[in-house]
Amino acid sequence: TVEYDVVIFDEAQHLKNPASQTAVRLRRIRAKRRFALTGTPLENRTDDLWSIFRVIFPSLLPDLQTFQTWSHDEIKRFIRPFLMRRTKDEVLQDLPKKQIVHHYTDLGPTQKKLYASYLSKLQLETLRHLDETKREDRIKLLAGLTRLRQICCDPALFVEDYTGESTKLERLLEIIEEKVASGHRILIFSQYTKMLARIRERL
């Protein structure tokens, strides 16, 4: 049987279920020293903490049934000597300053016409008769604003068989190409899952 000098369990919150196959198998690893790294040691209950310690230090805490009768102060007293905790303020000092760069892109001709058309429709059908006390009117307004935002992202998000331009998507693809060529890794967010599907399709 292999015995390691050191074993480090990263993302240790995934060990919160002591009955899971992962936790059971990892408990069988033989090692002289064990460490757990996690940003969320407690997700729901103190039982999560017990499960993590069961993997890295099985002899420290009692069985789960007994542990569940302990007060928070008792738990703290037992585990505190074995914890190294870094607060957000401490971690921030090691991180580079966040840089925000805005990229502005004009809508293409087809997008502009579509945007103007939906804006006129929103003004005519919703804003002119808007009663802020009526829930259905607020929902109509929200739906209209959502459509305008989608047109700016990519009209194909809701316009069936749209074949016109999508300048924001094209600009994003240019940025991706530039960053990849420079050896950068990219994480892309969107409020619309359909937009992510469109980006994936183009990539």
Side-chain angles (χ1 to χ4, degrees), residues 156-173:
L157 293 180
F158 71 95
V159 178
E160 193 173 348
D161 300 323
Y162 177 78
T163 56
E165 72 284 323
S166 174
T167 53
K168 186 174 182 180
L169 178 56
E170 295 303 326
R171 180 66 187 119
L172 172 64
L173 294 171

Side-chain angles (χ1 to χ4, degrees), residues 99 172 175-189 203:
Q99 292 183 336
L172 172 64
I175 293 172
I176 292 173
E177 191 173 355
E178 293 167 6
K179 296 299 181 184
V180 170
S182 302
H184 289 88
R185 299 174 72 183
I186 305 166
L187 187 60
I188 299 172
F189 291 92
L203 292 175

Side-chain angles (χ1 to χ4, degrees), residues 25-117:
R25 288 177 179 175
L26 292 181
R27 282 201 294 268
R28 295 174 184 161
I29 293 178
R30 295 169 61 86
K32 295 176 183 176
R33 290 174 292 275
R34 296 163 176 258
F35 296 90
L37 305 178
T38 175
T40 51
L42 286 179
E43 289 191 314
N44 300 305
R45 303 168 300 168
T46 52
D47 291 6
D48 299 348
L49 200 61
W50 181 90
S51 183
I52 294 172
F53 269 91
R54 204 65 173 177
V55 173
I56 61 170
F57 201 159
S59 61
L60 177 68
L61 300 176
D63 61 87
L64 181 57
Q65 192 172 2
T66 303
F67 179 77
Q68 288 173 335
T69 65
W70 283 10
S71 68
H72 285 182
D73 287 339
E74 288 176 304
I75 294 171
K76 284 180 184 178
R77 189 172 69 250
F78 265 81
I79 68 173
R80 184 172 289 158
F82 306 98
L83 291 182
M84 289 181 62
R85 183 171 176 267
R86 300 185 72 194
T87 63
K88 182 179 178 181
D89 289 338
E90 291 171 332
V91 173
L92 286 177
Q93 296 176 12
D94 296 337
L95 298 176
K97 289 186 178 180
K98 180 168 64 175
Q99 292 183 336
I100 299 176
V101 180
H102 296 281
H103 295 264
Y104 296 98
T105 307
D106 290 331
L107 297 180
T110 308
Q111 279 181 287
K112 279 183 180 178
K113 289 179 183 177
L114 198 56
Y115 188 94
S117 172

